[in-house]
Amino acid sequence: MDPYALLGVARDADEKTIRSAYRALAKKHHPDLNPDKPEAEAKFKEISAAYALLSDAEKRARFDRGEIDATGAETPPRGPAGGSGYYRQYAGDPFASGHGRYSAGAEDFGGFDHDDLESLLRRAFNQGGGAGAGRAGGFPLKGQDAHYSLTVDFLTAARGATRRLTLPSGQVLDVNIPAGLKDGQALRLAGKGGPGVNGGPHGDAFVEVTVSPHPLYRRDGDDIIIELPVTLKEAVLGAKVKVPTIHGSVMLAIPPRSSSGTRLRLKGRGIREGHQVVELKVALPAGEEPELAAFLEGWTPRHDTNPRAGLADLDREGT
């Protein structure tokens, strides 16, 4: 399905609009918030895949040009005789546990695929004309490198894990995802590429990893940032509240007189040696609170401050 339609945004939507649409949908359909709705997980996977494509400027541009489809798979170019110059193949559920999306493609050697290239090399070194024609041996050549794509979720990339990749040949590769892997990073699997020629070593496999975003966490280096809603009472009086982290929930002390935007640090709760930064967001009650309204109408602050002080000066600087 069209990723723009999945997120409900126009094709010319800016990055901020796309991110806001994704966050709203991700919170609505997140499996943890919909334990009794199995269809929510499928919907969450779809919108996460759509955001992963549209949030990447290069992939979005290629999709808009028709070079890749909504899953990120290459659209094969057509050769002069109607044949494709190369191919990309994808299989598997990109979010299924223990499996990942992959793509494999031969390098574009002017129309030669891997078998054509290997055949050419064998003729050149083993079966060419002249005195050496037909002799055994020849120069050993390293096999062709293979290139694949794998999508993992945010927590897998942050904490590290092993994910299994099934190739078109049926071969299975176990890919070790190191803790702290970044979006777009490529992993090299030595000797997992194409077979060598004349006894040469196998080529290598390179796996480019796409990290899908998370509705709660965002990354800043090795630090994890999370926005935490708190009640007005918790912000004014202080409280101890449970906070999710990528390593499990912990209790956090909210200091009295905290404002929206206050940042608190949970040491060592980020990626590797990083920390988790908690940004407080004061949330007012959803319903009417007549007692609170009456109190505020008759309340005169002891320390009367203007939270918008300085805005007028900044506005004058911009004119």
Side-chain angles (χ1 to χ4, degrees):
M1 186 175 178
D2 185 352
Y4 292 101
L6 273 171
L7 296 182
V9 298
R11 299 187 74 85
D12 60 351
D14 59 21
E15 181 181 350
K16 182 178 180 180
T17 300
I18 292 173
R19 182 171 60 251
S20 296
Y22 166 74
R23 287 183 175 176
L25 289 171
K27 289 181 180 180
K28 178 180 179 181
H29 298 286
H30 196 280
D32 292 346
L33 303 178
N34 298 273
D36 299 325
K37 297 180 180 179
E39 67 276 10
E41 182 176 1
K43 187 66 175 179
F44 177 73
K45 293 174 183 177
E46 288 182 349
I47 61 179
S48 294
Y51 180 70
L53 188 147
L54 296 183
S55 62
D56 186 308
E58 181 179 355
K59 291 180 180 178
R60 180 183 179 184
R62 296 192 67 202
F63 173 78
D64 290 343
R65 293 194 298 267
E67 297 175 5
I68 59 176
D69 63 20
T71 69
E74 300 278 359
T75 301
R78 308 301 297 177
S84 60
Y86 61 90
Y87 70 91
R88 296 270 182 188
Q89 296 177 326
Y90 282 73
D93 180 353
F95 294 95
S97 176
H99 295 80
R101 185 182 68 184
Y102 69 85
S103 67
E107 300 290 338
D108 185 1
F109 291 99
F112 285 109
D113 62 17
H114 180 268
D115 293 335
D116 293 332
L117 180 62
E118 182 175 345
S119 176
L120 175 65
L121 293 171
R122 289 189 184 280
R123 289 198 303 271
F125 293 106
N126 289 333
Q127 301 172 5
R135 73 179 187 271
F139 294 103
L141 297 175
K142 182 180 178 181
Q144 185 185 16
D145 290 339
H147 298 270
Y148 305 101
S149 296
L150 176 66
T151 298
V152 300
D153 61 81
F154 184 94
L155 294 179
T156 293
R159 297 186 298 216
T162 298
R163 288 293 178 263
R164 181 157 289 181
L165 196 62
T166 303
L167 310 185
S169 63
Q171 180 186 5
V172 174
L173 296 180
D174 285 328
V175 182
N176 180 38
I177 307 296
L181 184 79
K182 295 182 179 180
D183 182 55
Q185 187 173 341
L187 302 175
R188 174 176 172 267
L189 305 180
K192 298 299 183 179
V197 178
N198 295 328
H202 278 63
D204 300 327
F206 292 88
V207 182
E208 182 179 349
V209 181
T210 297
V211 180
S212 60
H214 195 280
L216 300 178
Y217 306 113
R218 66 181 190 271
R219 181 173 178 174
D220 182 11
D222 280 351
D223 289 342
I224 296 294
I225 314 295
I226 183 173
E227 186 179 86
L228 181 70
V230 294
T231 67
L232 180 61
K233 184 176 182 179
E234 289 169 338
V236 173
L237 301 181
K240 286 188 176 182
V241 298
K242 183 180 289 188
V243 180
T245 79
I246 64 172
H247 304 291
S249 297
V250 298
M251 298 302 295
L252 173 67
I254 307 296
R257 301 182 303 281
S258 293
S259 301
S260 284
T262 296
R263 283 190 159 203
L264 305 174
R265 189 180 74 163
L266 292 170
K267 186 177 180 180
R269 289 285 172 172
I271 297 171
R272 293 187 290 252
E273 302 300 321
H275 314 296
Q276 176 160 307
V277 178
V278 180
E279 294 181 349
L280 301 184
K281 180 181 180 181
V282 178
L284 295 179
E288 293 186 2
E289 295 288 344
E291 293 84 1
L292 176 61
F295 168 76
L296 292 175
E297 287 174 358
W299 176 50
T300 301
R302 180 178 301 179
H303 304 286
D304 194 10
T305 58
N306 181 4
R308 293 171 294 281
L311 292 184
D313 293 336
L314 293 175
D315 185 54
R316 282 195 294 270
E317 290 178 3
T319 59

